[in-house]
Amino acid sequence: MHPKFFYGYVILALCFANMVVMRGVNGAFGVYYLALLEEFSWSRSDGASIASANFFIYAIASPLVGLAFDHIEGWRWMLGLGCVPALALAFGMLRMPQSPRWLVMTGDDFAARATLAKIRVDDPDTIDMELAEIKESLDDKPGAWSELLAPVVKAALFVGVGLAILQQITGINTVIYYAPTIVEFTGVNSSAGSILAAVGVGVINVGFTVLALRLLDRAGRRTLLMIGVSGMSISLFALGAAFIGGGSSTFASIVAILSLMTYVASFAISLGPIFWLLNAEIYPLAVRSKAAGLGTMANWTFNFIVSLTFLLLIEAAGRSGAFWIYGGIGIVTLWFCWKFVPETKGKRLEDIQAFFQAKVDKR
């Protein structure tokens, strides 16, 4: 083999390994972030604080960076600029307070009290109460992996991991990652125009996620899921229909773009934030971190699979067929939510566990 080919294969292997490692780091950070977010939020706070993990600001920033370098061969700059938010995060983490739970575990109650005063109201009685709750919870030993096989936990895992997978295989990240390509399918020939349309997708994603944060504890999780997933399925079938015959007419282009926007809006008020919220709510405390980690791993795994296979699916089933397949999966998701997902709005953990226990008893 010629040395140039050998070096080329080595570089490709390193690039692939880097991609896999970064996926793993991103997924691990997601679990860590959700754990901190849940601990740093009031135990009585609404679901919006946890669901904000799904606030996809990158959906706006990424297309804008692409637009800025559209007129030049600037792909190296586009990749390199990814280090800017990473560095900002690294410096921001220097100011991150230590976990109060960790400080209590290490016997540093004074530092734990100072941290709680910083992230909560500076009220001695409230802090004393929370410190007592933390110490009481630490008396319970973390659950072993084998406890995930308990019938009630398996019933909760079926819902959590099921939603993790369905959130991805309904096609959301094909839209986020390939938005400019999909817009070009509608007949928009300008790369700048397709990127601007992708910015519009990001704006709608963020805007409706903010709306969802206000609705989660008013309308309820199941209601938003049923409404949002219904909208996603209808939009996907309409998007597929718009591509029949090539989708090159002005009317077909308008239908396709409106369907795309409606799909993103429907996702942002339902599966987007609600999966992450339920993934932090439905498991027993003893095994919550392990169970939530499995849900997160499933989500990122199928994110990778769907992103990798989207263009292959377009080639195999055609543009209409690909989106109709996603729409069919949306119908399955709607049935899954109706059949298995509990309403957790205003419910205690004991009530949620009673729901899953009743499911187990019916078998």
Side-chain angles (χ1 to χ4, degrees), residues 172-185:
I172 182 58
N173 279 311
T174 64
V175 171
I176 299 299
Y177 298 155
Y178 294 101
T181 302
I182 296 172
V183 171
E184 287 179 2
F185 289 164

Side-chain angles (χ1 to χ4, degrees), residues 167 180 246:
Q167 187 204 55

